[in-house]
Amino acid sequence: MEGNFLENVWIDSKIIEDCMIGRVANVGKIYGLNSAYEIWDEANNTILNCNDNKEKLNQGFLSLKRAFNVTSMELRKNLGIDNIKYSSKKKTKDFLGDLEYFEIIKTLTLNKYLNLRNLIEHENHSPPSVEDCLSLSEYIWNYIRNTANILNQFTEYISITSNNNKILFEYIIEENNNMYFPHLNVTAFVESKFVSYLYKENSINVEKINLLNKFDLQKEIEFEKESEYIDDLSHIAIKGEILDQDIIAEYIKVLILPEYGGLDDISIQSIFSKV
């Protein structure tokens, strides 16, 4: 692969109009949620069978936090939502704010639970009633189920084709010291007329650019056919990354929220509509 000598290119977002969705892949990394369900089941049974024993009720109530923690870790490991610095993010460690922003679950009940949990652990506060504990248990179960559905459906790879152009988006998570950072990588084979080396409105800004030659494309499964046409100079082939945090956040929203109506050219265009 040739060395980096370009920092940015802008690909005209019109290239996405009337595109065809090709390869769509889901890695399905939801195995960690098995233990979340197991922890939740044990906590829920403890609450159900406490027989008004305050200590058992406390034990079940507090154990629900472990189920929440395991579920949240799977979201972090697979989506990296807590390390996306979107424009409206108020605090770098506000994970509940991330859950709200990505509309994974509402957190008013969870905030109340966490506050009460701290009172129980640090000030010997009495637990809530069995009924209230079971209501919270149901809430945590819904959180686990929502997360399972999201991770089961989330699309790590999207290939789109528009006439003689092809773009592959890859959502990759990088782990560093138990922190998980998302990367939205782009490999593109596009007509030169759709590419600008200076800022251009209504374009997709791809950064950290590597230019690809024929032999580079032959190594890419998605672009083996396109490698035959790179020598005629009518196309440019690049590999890079979208660094705009708002674009990354929008990409996740489109792929996890049902109101977008599924993955199609319109929903993909909506990701870049504000660029």
Side-chain angles (χ1 to χ4, degrees):
M1 184 178 294
E2 298 183 17
N4 258 338
F5 64 93
L6 289 174
E7 293 184 0
N8 304 64
V9 299
W10 285 263
I11 301 175
D12 195 328
S13 58
K14 290 181 179 179
I15 206 171
I16 301 177
E17 294 179 2
D18 301 319
C19 67
M20 295 180 60
I21 308 297
R23 177 189 177 199
V24 175
N26 167 262
V27 177
K29 298 178 288 186
I30 62 172
Y31 49 83
L33 293 178
N34 291 335
S35 60
Y37 277 118
E38 291 171 0
I39 294 168
W40 173 86
D41 189 53
E42 182 177 345
N44 192 66
N45 284 334
T46 300
I47 294 170
L48 281 171
N49 300 307
C50 71
N51 296 320
D52 294 325
N53 183 298
K54 178 181 175 181
E55 290 306 315
K56 285 189 176 181
L57 185 58
N58 256 339
Q59 178 185 344
F61 181 75
L62 297 177
S63 292
L64 292 173
K65 179 60 161 54
R66 288 184 58 217
F68 171 80
N69 287 345
V70 171
T71 305
S72 299
M73 180 53 68
E74 288 304 307
L75 274 175
R76 290 184 169 105
K77 287 168 60 178
N78 291 290
L79 296 184
I81 59 174
D82 54 325
N83 283 311
I84 301 174
K85 307 299 187 275
Y86 46 86
S87 297
S88 60
K89 190 160 188 169
K90 296 179 180 179
K91 295 190 296 184
T92 57
K93 294 185 178 180
D94 184 12
F95 185 67
L96 297 189
D98 294 327
L99 294 178
E100 287 276 359
Y101 179 82
F102 290 103
E103 300 180 50
I104 295 171
I105 200 164
K106 296 299 182 183
T107 60
L108 179 61
T109 297
L110 187 57
N111 265 312
K112 291 180 179 179
Y113 164 69
L114 293 176
N115 290 334
L116 183 53
R117 179 183 180 275
N118 289 335
L119 290 174
I120 293 172
E121 282 197 327
H122 303 298
E123 299 183 25
N124 198 31
H125 195 280
S126 296
S129 67
V130 172
E131 183 179 353
D132 286 343
C133 287
L134 290 174
S135 293
L136 175 68
S137 178
E138 183 179 274
Y139 175 92
I140 297 297
W141 185 90
N142 286 331
Y143 175 54
I144 300 172
R145 178 53 61 92
N146 285 352
T147 299
N149 288 335
I150 287 169
L151 297 185
N152 188 50
Q153 298 175 18
F154 187 77
T155 304
E156 280 87 356
Y157 305 93
I158 301 175
S159 171
I160 65 171
T161 302
S162 176
N163 295 322
N164 296 317
N165 305 284
K166 179 180 285 187
I167 301 177
L168 175 66
F169 297 99
E170 301 177 88
Y171 194 82
I172 305 295
I173 299 296
E174 173 194 12
E175 190 271 333
N176 186 4
N177 294 324
N178 294 319
M179 298 184 69
Y180 301 90
F181 300 91
H183 298 275
L184 184 53
N185 295 333
V186 177
T187 305
F189 176 83
V190 295
E191 293 176 79
S192 301
K193 64 182 180 180
F194 289 113
V195 177
S196 173
Y197 301 101
L198 298 173
Y199 169 76
K200 185 179 180 181
E201 290 185 357
N202 300 316
S203 294
I204 305 168
N205 183 12
V206 184
E207 305 181 57
K208 300 173 68 174
I209 296 298
N210 278 299
L211 292 176
L212 305 181
N213 58 36
K214 179 177 181 179
F215 302 103
D216 295 325
L217 287 176
Q218 289 174 345
K219 298 175 185 177
E220 302 281 343
I221 297 176
E222 284 291 324
F223 294 89
E224 287 181 325
K225 294 181 179 179
E226 283 72 19
S227 65
E228 302 175 11
Y229 306 103
I230 191 66
D231 290 336
D232 65 7
L233 302 180
S234 64
H235 288 73
I236 181 173
I238 61 170
K239 182 182 284 287
E241 184 174 353
I242 293 176
L243 300 181
D244 188 316
Q245 299 291 286
D246 290 321
I247 294 293
I248 294 174
E250 194 67 20
Y251 183 90
I252 292 179
K253 280 189 171 184
V254 165
L255 295 184
I256 69 175
L257 297 179
E259 55 264 35
Y260 282 91
L263 188 61
D264 55 25
D265 57 335
I266 295 176
S267 64
I268 292 177
Q269 287 176 51
S270 71
I271 298 172
F272 305 101
S273 63
K274 298 177 182 179
V275 298

